[in-house]
Amino acid sequence: MALLECKHVYKAFDNRFILTDVNLTLPEGKIVGLLGKNGTGKSTLIKLINDLLTPTEGEILVKGLPVGVESKKMIAYLPERTYLDKNMTVEQVVGFFEDFYENFDSEKARKLLRELDLDPTQKMAKMSKGMQEKVQLVLVMSRKADLYILDEPLGGVDPATRDYILDTILTNFNEGASVLISTHLIQDIERILDEVIFIDKGKIICHEDCDTLRERENASIDEIFRRTFKC
Amino acid sequence: MLKKLLKYDLKSKLPFLCIFYALAIGCALLSRLFGLFSEVPMVNILSQFFAGATISMIFNILINLTLRSWALFRQNLYGDSSYLMHTLPVEKKTLYLSKALDGLITLIVSFGVIGLTLLIQYYGTALWTKAGLFLRLFSQGRPAMVATLLIGILFLEIANMFQCGFTGLILGHKMNRHKMGYSVLAGLGVYAAGSLFVFAVIGMMALFNDSIRQFFLSTQTQPVEMNDLWLLIALSSAAYAFLILAMYFLNVKWLKQGVNVD
């Protein structure tokens, strides 16, 4: 059974279609890049999978189940914005995740936070945006999920932090799980990807194994992306 | 899960409200304390000042409670925090029930604090006696019972207003643009429709009951038959309870249809 299936998914706002007939199947144990220019529907697709948007048409299944309470237990989602309560301390946020997610490993989260030299008593509001994003990443990666969905995890961070983020993702995701990473910073993540999905104007134009694609096109994913999305 | 959600909802609201609770009770105590020496002009001014501050703090409690509840509802279900709330393994109806219970609990606590503040401020004073006399005019010597019932109606009215705000936010955020504008319009519309419904229920009763009709039509202050007053209050309460429950189920249904978070 596929981990994630999108069947003929459409999403429209005010009769303008953002996603058109999206059909997608994600297997288990793969790191998949969801690549596309800004405003092509990457975040919309991710929000649909996470029940933050409702499809205009079509069906999304996670391990055969429709999006809902059960799918949310299986998906660990990192959005592109900071979503934690600013009035909470780091420790309280860890407690919050512990309360709501059965598959949350609080010891692992505390260990990762210690490595970041974060004061558990510090309030989220007192942290820089970058630090808040790191806390979010730690929380998401400390879940033993089946599917990790990371929306622009590298957006707006310096190269050193990008490396830290990628290492954290690579070394912490649950064995056998899949990771769906949305980004337009392909060069940075190319090395970790197993599969790529190119999305343009709300349609999936390519979903292929990275090595096969590189061999066939005799170019890196970054070069293929630039060629495909040339203005 | 409901318990956990409710715990976090209460935690995010009560600390702020406690500041206003403390200020209201503090002002009432100071007003009463300075009132003991009201023959000294300067102290009397202070007593009057704190009496005014007490009333403003009571309004502050109600305004803050209402606005904060709506703001947290919006922030949690449609703002940045919605990315966390809607991805928790919790049903939409549980998310809503937690907000509704949080509103109800904080409203009960606020009513309690306001009652205590008014008791500190006015118990045994001339105003207290006047209010008692005024109530007696309507209630055939049972002012305490009538006052309690009227407070009950006021409570239901505020609870209804609370929920109309939630309904407005849910309906407004179904739109793709001008969500806040539509939320305000929808909230006001639902509140107006609800008020008309309660008024229509009372109006229907007035058609068949002369005593109640006179209560609305006559400019003369006259006692209403206790049985009629009971009926009036019971019907109004039933109308409000029906409204609150109906809107609760509608809100849950609309929320279950899915959200469109920006």
Side-chain angles (χ1 to χ4, degrees), chain B residues 75 96 116 126 151 156 231 254:
Chain B
Q75 168 69 15
Y96 185 81
L116 179 67
I151 289 168
L156 287 171
L231 193 62
W254 286 326

Side-chain angles (χ1 to χ4, degrees), chain B residues 26-38 43 47 50 120:
Chain B
C27 286
L29 280 171
L30 283 172
S31 167
R32 209 59 204 261
L33 186 72
F34 288 129
L36 294 174
F37 311 98
S38 58
V43 180
S47 172
F50 281 111
I120 295 168

